[in-house]
């Protein structure tokens, strides 16, 4: 039986982005910001990400480069921050994660956790001391909420802050902290006699230790740490004055989760673009792999899920810019987009065959990273239950 030659490819091809007409949904500033970040990723980050992933490193000097790019706290107003809209911030996260989840994680933790906690709950003195330096990358921040035994249930945290005269003394351990070993300041959440409160802890304070977590299979181009607080003494001015109760750190997490709604799609888009290019150039039985129906079915289905995810992300961004997005709406976005991005990255790996297991191609690296993104800042299970609570009024996780 002879092999039928494939018809020549059409010159009227479209990228997944173009097929959904995404640019028509964006204004000029949003398109320009996305293009600027994408160029930075292509020229500065992509040529090095394989080596950084393999060696499990993230150069500290990238902080200043991200600052020069203008993405650190870019959605905040004043204090050296650009004050962009939510969609622009989301698109920057998407382009960064198209390079690697580690890049978006750094920017997200710096801007939406560390900086936002100070911006929203800090005193004017705290804002002036830290935000301009964090915006330029001169200083690096981290966010200490999760503990070894308390992830989905942060209300059970064992870290304690007690009064000693006018000072505070903190004891406890925080786990899975992005940027921990790079940070100059940590926002640490602790139980007090008056409930959960937030504190700004300079990392050179006696009793503060950051221990890097090694042998990771995911987010290797990212610094992940354990924070240990052993009788860390802080002045009263270290407390975030407006942070009262668990709602404060959870609001910061919602800011960061919004970035993930967009960011995860960057990993998916890059995986899909890689798979399309590979299948166009790879011949199987004397025909391009892209000419086979099973290949096109995979590419079409992945494009559909990617496009739906982008439409959802932009919609949530417009809501956030207009009247404010609700936590359960963020849950919709994170649950769907991370879940679909992970499925896309895995499927793209299959189209690459044996080549897909090397760092020469991005899909398996993205899939490994997305395994962490699926879990952190709210597991898929918790987001499912958040949506369920919104629909039924019953908190099934309690």
């Amino acid at each position: 039986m002879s092999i039928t030659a494939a018809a020549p490819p059409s010159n009227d091809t479209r990228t997944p982005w173009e097929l959904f007409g995404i640019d028509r949904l964006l204004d000029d500033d949003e398109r320009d910001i996305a293009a600027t970040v994408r160029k930075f990723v292509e020229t500065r980050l992509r040529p090095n990400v394989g080596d950084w992933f393999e060696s499990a490193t993230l150069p500290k000097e990238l902080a200043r480069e991200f600052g020069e790019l203008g993405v650190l706290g870019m959605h905040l107003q004043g204090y050296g921050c650009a004050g962009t809209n939510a969609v622009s911030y989301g698109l920057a996260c998407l382009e960064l994660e198209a390079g690697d989840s580690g890049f978006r994680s750094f920017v997200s933790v710096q801007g939406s956790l560390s900086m936002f906690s100070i911006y929203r709950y800090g005193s004017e003195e705290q804002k002036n001391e830290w935000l301009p330096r964090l915006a330029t990358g001169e200083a690096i921040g981290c966010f200490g909420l999760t503990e070894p035994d308390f992830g989905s249930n942060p209300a059970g945290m064992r870290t304690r802050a007690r009064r000693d005269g006018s000072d505070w003394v903190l004891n406890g351990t925080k786990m899975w902290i992005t940027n921990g070993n790079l940070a100059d300041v940590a926002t640490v959440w602790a139980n007090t006699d008056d409930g959960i409160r937030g504190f700004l802890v300079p990392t050179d304070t006696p009793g503060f230790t950051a221990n890097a977590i090694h042998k990771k299979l995911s987010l290797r181009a990212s610094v992940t740490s354990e924070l240990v607080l052993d009788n860390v003494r802080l002045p009263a001015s270290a407390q975030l004055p407006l942070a009262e109760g668990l709602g404060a750190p959870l609001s910061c997490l919602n800011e960061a989760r919004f970035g993930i709604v967009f960011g995860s799609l960057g990993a998916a888009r890059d995986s899909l673009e890689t798979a399309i290019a590979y299948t166009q150039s790879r011949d199987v039985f004397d025909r391009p792999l892209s000419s086979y129906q099973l290949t096109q079915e995979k590419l079409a289905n992945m494009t559909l899920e990617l496009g739906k995810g982008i439409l959802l992300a932009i919609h949530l961004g417009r809501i956030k810019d207009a009247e404010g997005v609700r936590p359960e709406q963020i849950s919709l976005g994170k649950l769907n987009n991370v879940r679909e991005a992970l499925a896309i990255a895995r499927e793209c790996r299959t189209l690459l065959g044996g080549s897909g297991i090397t760092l020469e191609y991005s899909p398996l690296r993205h899939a490994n990273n997305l395994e962490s993104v699926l879990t952190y800042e709210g597991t898929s299970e918790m987001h499912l239950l958040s949506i369920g609570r919104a629909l039924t009024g019953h908190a099934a996780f309690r």
Side-chain angles (χ1 to χ4, degrees):
M1 183 174 67
S2 63
I3 301 295
T4 303
S10 167
N11 291 325
D12 188 28
T13 59
R14 296 285 186 269
T15 67
W17 193 267
E18 292 169 331
L19 198 58
F20 272 83
I22 298 302
D23 277 349
R24 298 183 60 168
L25 304 177
L26 308 175
D27 65 29
D28 289 342
D29 286 343
E30 291 162 350
R31 286 191 290 270
D32 288 346
I33 287 170
T36 298
V37 178
R38 186 167 193 174
K39 181 179 180 181
F40 177 81
V41 170
E42 292 296 326
T43 58
R44 174 67 177 102
L45 302 181
R46 193 177 298 280
N48 300 296
V49 66
D51 290 338
W52 293 335
F53 188 90
E54 187 169 27
S55 62
T57 57
L58 184 74
K60 189 171 184 177
E61 60 266 22
L62 284 179
R64 288 184 182 268
E65 296 182 49
F66 287 138
E68 292 174 5
L69 185 63
V71 295
L72 300 178
M74 61 184 286
H75 56 307
L76 306 181
Q77 296 280 347
Y79 308 98
C81 302
T84 64
N85 67 2
V87 172
S88 293
Y89 170 61
L91 292 169
C93 288
L94 186 151
E95 296 298 341
L96 288 166
E97 196 148 356
D100 192 83
S101 299
F103 307 142
R104 196 267 310 143
S105 289
F106 181 97
V107 169
S108 181
V109 168
Q110 180 91 341
S112 290
L113 293 180
S114 174
M115 293 178 70
F116 182 79
S117 66
I118 300 169
Y119 180 84
R120 174 64 181 82
Y121 298 107
S123 66
E124 200 59 35
E125 292 75 18
Q126 290 168 335
K127 295 176 187 179
N128 287 318
E129 178 181 4
W130 288 110
L131 290 180
R133 289 191 287 152
L134 291 166
T136 62
E138 176 189 348
I140 296 174
C142 67
F143 186 87
L145 177 63
T146 299
E147 296 189 357
D149 296 320
F150 294 95
S152 296
N153 179 26
M157 71 176 69
R158 296 194 179 106
T159 299
R160 293 284 304 176
R162 61 176 177 84
R163 285 280 195 182
D164 185 16
S166 62
D167 291 344
W168 289 97
V169 178
L170 275 62
N171 284 279
T173 303
K174 300 295 182 179
M175 194 66 171
W176 309 116
I177 308 304
T178 299
N179 299 349
N181 279 75
L182 302 177
D184 299 287
V185 62
T187 300
V188 174
W189 301 92
N191 258 315
T192 73
D193 290 340
D194 297 319
I196 293 173
R197 297 291 185 269
F199 301 86
L200 295 183
V201 184
T203 57
D204 59 359
T205 305
F208 180 95
T209 306
N211 301 312
I213 297 171
H214 300 291
K215 299 184 179 180
K216 295 185 298 179
L217 299 176
S218 179
L219 283 178
R220 291 178 57 79
S222 177
V223 174
T224 312
S225 311
E226 172 196 50
L227 307 183
V228 179
L229 300 104
D230 183 10
N231 288 320
V232 172
R233 182 174 291 273
L234 300 170
S237 60
Q239 183 184 358
L240 293 171
L242 301 181
E244 297 184 2
L246 189 58
L250 293 184
S251 72
C252 300
L253 288 175
N254 274 327
E255 288 292 309
R257 288 166 182 156
F258 175 79
I260 294 173
V261 173
F262 277 86
S264 57
L265 299 174
R269 189 195 69 192
D270 185 67
S271 297
L272 184 52
E273 289 176 345
T274 299
I276 292 170
Y278 182 88
T279 58
Q280 291 278 58
S281 63
R282 171 73 169 176
D283 282 350
V284 178
F285 298 112
D286 302 319
R287 291 170 51 180
L289 180 56
S290 62
S291 70
Y292 289 91
Q293 290 182 2
L294 287 177
T295 299
Q296 292 192 9
E297 179 188 31
K298 290 182 177 183
L299 296 176
N301 281 330
M302 290 188 289
T303 294
L304 183 61
E305 295 306 322
L306 173 64
K308 285 154 62 177
I310 292 172
L311 294 176
L312 173 58
I314 293 173
H315 177 61
L316 293 177
R318 299 298 182 213
I319 293 174
K320 191 175 193 299
D321 282 325
E323 67 266 14
V325 66
R326 299 192 303 273
E328 60 268 24
Q329 293 175 315
I330 296 291
S331 289
L332 288 169
K334 182 178 188 290
L335 175 66
N336 181 79
N337 289 3
V338 178
R339 185 166 61 186
E340 296 305 323
L342 179 55
I344 288 170
R346 288 170 173 166
E347 188 78 289
C348 287
R349 209 293 304 162
T350 70
L351 290 171
L352 300 177
S355 297
I357 70 167
T358 72
L359 281 173
E360 183 179 356
Y361 298 95
S362 64
L364 186 56
R365 173 170 53 81
H366 285 311
N368 284 353
N369 287 336
L370 288 166
E371 290 287 355
S372 291
V373 180
L374 189 71
T375 301
Y376 70 29
E377 296 181 26
T379 65
S380 290
E381 292 83 357
M382 293 305 297
H383 288 298
L384 280 166
L385 296 179
S386 174
I387 296 165
R389 179 177 59 184
L391 294 172
T392 68
H394 296 292
F397 46 83
R398 293 190 180 275

